[in-house]
Amino acid sequence: MRVLAKVGAWRLSAAARAVIPCLWRGKYFSSGKDPVENNPATPMLRHLMYKIKSTGPITVAEYMKEVLTNPAKLLGIWFVSEWMATGKPAAFQLVELGPGRGTLAGDILRVFSQLGSVLKNCDISIHLVEKTPQGWREVFVDIDPQVSDKLRFVLAPCATPAEAFIQHDETRDHVEVSPDAGVIIQELSQRIALTGGAALIADYGHDGTKTDTFRGFCGHKLHDVLIAPGTADLTADVDFSYLRRMAQEKVASLGPIKQQTFLKNMGIDVRLKVLLDKSDEPSSRQQLLQGYDMLMNPKKMGERFNFFALLPHQRLRGRSHQRNDCQSKPSPSPVAGFSELAWQ
């Protein structure tokens, strides 16, 4: 899930995993039914297999960090940064001295097309935790001992720190938690409580109702998260109930509400009418209507994206000079998007 920044993730120490190496291969489940021939040994896959062989299975959070911020992407960002600093010249050359087979340069070139999203967003990794007869167990990524060059999911043989983020009354049997997101929300909440301001978070998400949302996309199509790592984007839905809990009541929270409702409250219908009235060309009007449909249609983005806000408590309590005739308490002004926008 994408929010604001990346921070460290929990993982078992190599020493702890070394004590019980055989147990990691006692119980596992596959990521899908993709045949081996559709699982090319990408440079990232080779890197991950070497890492797992050296230190043992890794958390899903660590897997996401490795795949989404691998060295080729980071080097690519460095080159783009320097290109921007020199005035974005039209001519651009990438030269690697002593390249061998040119693997590194090839990796950098392959990720250039993805750098737009990398520069605009940072990806927040998640931990997957599953309820078992022995209690909550975290899901790790391991090497499949029966198939060469293939990864698999395994269950940790004992408790891990990620389980501390699960509510004692949790009813779901699969939970995705993000200490990264929790740290960011706590920092935002503290700053808003102390100095004012507000935070608006928009993303795919749910209010503590979904279970397995970890997925991969390649070419705008669903992609097995363990197949050809480094070639697909990895994401998971935001659990807004978790964000609300991490705010620790330091600030007030609103939502989540569906994008369709939020934009309607913000006056998108009025905005559309104004633009249509000003547009004389049929092609322009068609584009406006298609864009509106994409944003508002429940089967498209209308109910997929959610909006969630953090505000100072006093913002919702109202100001002392704002009072209704029939009320003795302050009357808060509505929060745009979460209630109908008042046009004045």
Side-chain angles (χ1 to χ4, degrees):
M1 61 187 177
R2 293 171 179 168
V3 193
L4 297 174
K6 289 178 66 67
V7 295
W10 293 101
R11 59 172 284 193
L12 288 179
S13 67
R17 291 195 293 263
V19 175
I20 44 175
C22 60
L23 295 182
W24 283 102
R25 291 165 173 78
K27 181 179 180 180
Y28 68 92
F29 50 96
S30 172
S31 64
K33 299 180 181 180
D34 298 66
V36 178
E37 56 267 23
N38 290 337
N39 184 13
T42 62
M44 176 51 62
L45 176 60
R46 291 193 292 269
H47 164 72
L48 288 167
M49 295 189 71
Y50 177 80
K51 182 182 182 72
I52 293 172
K53 288 178 181 178
S54 301
T55 63
I58 60 176
T59 66
V60 171
E62 190 171 356
Y63 176 76
M64 292 180 72
K65 290 177 185 293
E66 289 283 355
V67 171
L68 295 173
T69 59
N70 63 75
K73 280 189 176 179
L74 296 180
L75 290 176
I77 292 173
W78 186 90
F79 283 112
V80 170
S81 176
E82 288 303 303
W83 170 70
M84 295 172 65
T86 55
K88 302 180 181 179
F92 179 83
Q93 293 183 334
L94 176 65
V95 180
E96 180 183 5
L97 300 178
R101 294 181 298 172
T103 302
L104 179 60
D107 291 343
I108 294 174
L109 290 173
R110 276 189 291 273
V111 301
F112 271 2
S113 61
Q114 304 172 8
L115 285 177
S117 61
V118 172
L119 289 170
K120 294 177 183 177
N121 305 290
C122 289
D123 297 284
I124 300 298
S125 56
I126 61 167
H127 293 255
L128 306 184
V129 189
E130 177 182 334
K131 185 180 292 184
T132 73
Q134 294 74 38
W136 291 101
R137 293 292 182 266
E138 187 170 2
V139 176
F140 278 63
V141 177
D142 193 12
I143 299 172
D144 191 332
Q146 300 178 353
V147 183
S148 177
D149 292 337
K150 186 177 182 182
L151 300 173
R152 64 172 185 175
F153 289 122
V154 297
L155 291 176
C158 56
T160 62
E163 298 164 31
F165 294 87
I166 298 177
Q167 291 283 84
H168 68 279
D169 57 350
E170 179 61 65
T171 58
R172 292 171 290 175
D173 55 8
H174 292 77
V175 181
E176 300 165 343
V177 297
S178 176
D180 296 9
V183 169
I184 292 171
I185 292 300
Q186 288 178 355
E187 176 68 20
L188 282 173
S189 299
Q190 184 173 356
R191 288 175 178 267
I192 292 172
L194 291 175
T195 63
L200 182 65
I201 299 171
D203 210 331
Y204 295 99
H206 57 92
D207 203 12
T209 57
K210 293 184 179 181
T211 54
D212 302 310
T213 71
F214 179 43
R215 58 200 183 277
F217 287 96
C218 184
H220 303 289
K221 296 182 180 179
L222 283 172
H223 181 89
D224 191 309
V225 294
L226 296 186
I227 298 297
T231 64
D233 187 27
L234 303 180
T235 187
D237 288 359
V238 176
D239 184 344
F240 290 103
S241 68
Y242 172 75
L243 301 189
R244 187 184 302 112
R245 193 163 71 246
M246 289 297 101
Q248 299 176 331
E249 299 185 354
K250 294 178 181 177
V251 294
S253 62
L254 293 177
I257 64 172
K258 301 298 183 184
Q259 174 171 289
Q260 180 188 46
T261 303
F262 182 87
L263 294 179
K264 194 171 188 67
N265 288 339
M266 290 298 298
I268 190 174
D269 292 332
V270 175
R271 178 62 175 166
L272 176 65
K273 184 178 183 306
V274 171
L275 293 175
L276 288 175
D277 290 343
K278 291 182 177 180
S279 178
D280 297 328
E281 296 198 10
S283 59
S284 298
R285 295 173 63 88
Q286 183 180 7
Q287 288 180 353
L288 287 170
L289 292 172
Q290 289 176 344
Y292 178 88
D293 181 66
M294 176 61 69
L295 292 172
M296 300 293 285
N297 192 325
K299 296 181 179 181
K300 297 179 181 179
M301 300 301 296
E303 292 191 357
R304 294 181 183 178
F305 250 57
N306 291 267
F307 285 77
F308 180 82
L310 300 175
L311 300 162
H313 284 295
Q314 57 267 31
R315 170 66 179 84
L316 300 185
R317 294 179 185 140
R319 298 175 181 176
S320 59
H321 66 273
Q322 291 180 323
R323 296 179 182 273
N324 289 339
D325 294 337
C326 301
Q327 292 179 334
S328 59
K329 293 182 179 180
S331 175
S333 57
V335 178
F338 295 88
S339 57
E340 189 172 351
L341 186 64
W343 295 94
Q344 295 181 352

